Amino acid sequence: MSKIKVAVLFGGISNEHDISLISATNIISAIPSDKYEVIPIGITKKGRWLFYPGDISLISSGNWESHPDCVPAVILPDPMYKGIMKITEGSCTTTKIDVVFPALHGQNGEDGAIQGLLKLSGIPYVGCDIISSANCMDKAVAHTILEAGGIKMAKWKCVTVADLSKLDDVCDEIAGELDYPLFVKPANSGSSVGVNKASSFEELKNAIKLAFSHDKKVIVEEFIKGHEVECAVFGKDTPFASEVGEISSCNEFYDYEAKYILGTSGLTIPANIPADASRKIRETAVKAFKLMGCSGLSRVDFFLTDDGTVYLNEINTLPGFTQISMYPKLMENMGISQPELLDKLITLSLEG
């Protein structure tokens, strides 16, 4: 019996390129080799697509790009081929692909862009579809849908590029409706890239300007003091939520540095919270997953305040798969190893 061909996409032009390389390294290493043939395709920061036949350990450092056997390779949008085309001097060859695992984070990876290409190609892929990916990625859209569905979230305001010409007035308006400190976030970014805390008018202005270097839309949220907890959701028609995990950040808040550079933040599974709060968080995670039309996997992030109030923070449709990432850790806590988890995700995508 021939092995199932899985194309793993990694890298990308988003500001989460480096995290994708680490996630892909773990994913490729953990995919059961007795059942699957992995075809690694890397996307450089400039957007070049390359078939990578080299040592998997070179991916996370970025050294994969200089491998002498890399050749241009693209996923064909024509569903007649259902595969990739490798481009060499004087010739092009096509290889049929059974399924794609887009180990991509951030813009063009989990915002519906790559999902659109894969939809056109007719190749099954792991994770959420086009519209759920796009809606979850855009924090303003996600706020609007989830709040309309009765899910409690932090109070927020949206700032657009057009507001930059009157930023002082916009900041005055925000400060009049939301209390300091405030969190400023690019609307379409993950891994806490471009996120900053503002405790004054000037800090708010500067944080908004910085966030605009990552996106064309920015959201400002009120500060919620409480436990930072996360829940893994898996499935399609009848999704289930994992136990709740808690983050102990080594920084003031769980920013990019705390997640991926310092490496000293702690994960506690299960979270040290009351049983009824854990149950409510898990129920809310599944409800949000369904409201957004998600499928496959998502990590849902929450705040739990001292009075027991649950606030949904955000939904990540392609959560990190690094060695310290919460999603695989939560699933391992349920007795599902990474190889088994990846097998289940690929199988679910093949079922359509």
Side-chain angles (χ1 to χ4, degrees):
M1 181 177 175
S2 60
K3 294 182 181 180
I4 297 170
K5 288 187 170 73
V6 183
V8 176
L9 305 184
F10 60 88
I13 63 174
S14 85
N15 51 19
E16 297 177 68
H17 176 99
D18 294 343
I19 307 306
S20 170
L21 301 185
I22 303 172
S23 289
T25 299
N26 287 334
I27 288 169
I28 294 170
S29 300
I31 289 178
S33 58
D34 61 331
K35 185 175 179 180
Y36 300 101
E37 176 187 345
V38 176
I39 299 174
I41 299 177
I43 304 172
T44 71
K45 290 182 178 180
K46 293 184 178 180
R48 291 196 67 210
W49 286 50
L50 299 170
F51 166 69
Y52 174 65
D55 190 336
I56 301 306
S57 66
L58 297 179
I59 293 177
S60 60
S61 64
N63 292 327
W64 69 274
E65 290 185 32
S66 58
H67 194 283
D69 294 330
C70 279
V71 296
V74 295
I75 291 179
L76 295 165
D78 189 336
M80 176 180 176
Y81 295 98
K82 288 186 169 62
I84 62 169
M85 179 172 67
K86 297 178 186 176
I87 305 168
T88 56
E89 290 187 15
S91 67
C92 296
T93 58
T94 58
T95 302
K96 188 177 183 299
I97 299 297
D98 296 304
V99 61
V100 172
F101 198 122
L104 301 166
H105 304 310
Q107 295 178 2
N108 295 312
E110 55 183 312
D111 60 359
I114 194 69
Q115 289 78 13
L117 172 60
L118 296 173
K119 177 71 173 179
L120 289 174
S121 75
I123 305 173
Y125 58 91
V126 171
C128 296
D129 65 9
I130 301 169
I131 191 166
S132 58
S133 296
N135 287 342
C136 287
M137 187 67 180
D138 189 316
K139 295 177 179 64
V141 174
H143 261 283
T144 302
I145 295 173
L146 292 170
E147 288 173 347
I151 292 178
K152 193 174 186 64
M153 302 182 74
K155 295 178 182 177
W156 63 290
K157 297 289 290 183
C158 182
V159 185
T160 64
V161 172
D163 294 322
L164 284 173
S165 62
K166 51 181 180 179
L167 191 55
D168 282 1
D169 292 338
V170 170
C171 289
D172 275 333
E173 181 182 342
I174 292 172
E177 295 185 30
L178 306 177
D179 296 327
Y180 290 112
L182 298 167
F183 277 96
V184 181
K185 307 176 180 180
N188 293 275
S189 186
S191 296
S192 297
V193 174
V195 177
N196 280 281
K197 186 178 180 181
S199 299
S200 66
F201 181 86
E202 286 302 318
E203 287 183 359
L204 177 59
K205 280 180 60 179
N206 291 334
I208 290 174
K209 291 177 181 177
L210 178 61
F212 271 117
S213 68
H214 296 281
D215 197 9
K216 295 181 180 180
K217 183 164 60 173
V218 170
I219 67 166
V220 181
E221 295 177 339
E222 66 174 350
F223 170 64
I224 303 295
K225 183 179 180 180
H227 297 268
E228 292 187 57
V229 295
E230 300 182 346
C231 197
V233 182
F234 174 93
K236 189 176 180 182
D237 299 325
T238 56
F240 65 84
S242 71
E243 185 58 83
V244 180
E246 183 174 0
I247 299 163
S248 301
S249 177
C250 58
N251 279 352
E252 184 181 6
F253 65 96
Y254 199 42
D255 58 5
Y256 183 90
E257 183 182 57
K259 287 180 179 179
Y260 301 112
I261 298 177
L262 297 178
T264 53
S265 294
L267 306 179
T268 302
I269 305 172
N272 185 24
I273 58 176
D276 59 340
S278 178
R279 182 172 57 255
K280 183 174 181 180
I281 289 167
R282 295 175 71 182
E283 290 173 352
T284 305
V286 171
K287 179 180 179 181
F289 189 87
K290 291 180 176 179
L291 276 172
M292 300 302 292
C294 296
S295 61
L297 75 164
S298 289
R299 193 194 71 236
V300 190
D301 302 346
F302 295 89
F303 294 111
L304 175 65
T305 63
D306 290 341
D307 66 2
T309 305
V310 172
Y311 291 86
L312 191 148
N313 183 23
E314 62 184 23
I315 302 178
N316 296 271
T317 57
L318 223 325
F321 263 85
T322 72
Q323 292 181 348
I324 61 172
S325 293
M326 183 66 98
Y327 190 92
K329 291 289 187 184
L330 288 166
M331 299 302 282
E332 283 178 1
N333 179 258
M334 296 184 67
I336 304 174
S337 67
Q338 284 203 38
E340 185 181 0
L341 172 60
L342 295 168
D343 179 43
K344 286 179 177 293
L345 285 168
I346 294 169
T347 299
L348 188 66
S349 67
L350 287 168
E351 290 173 352

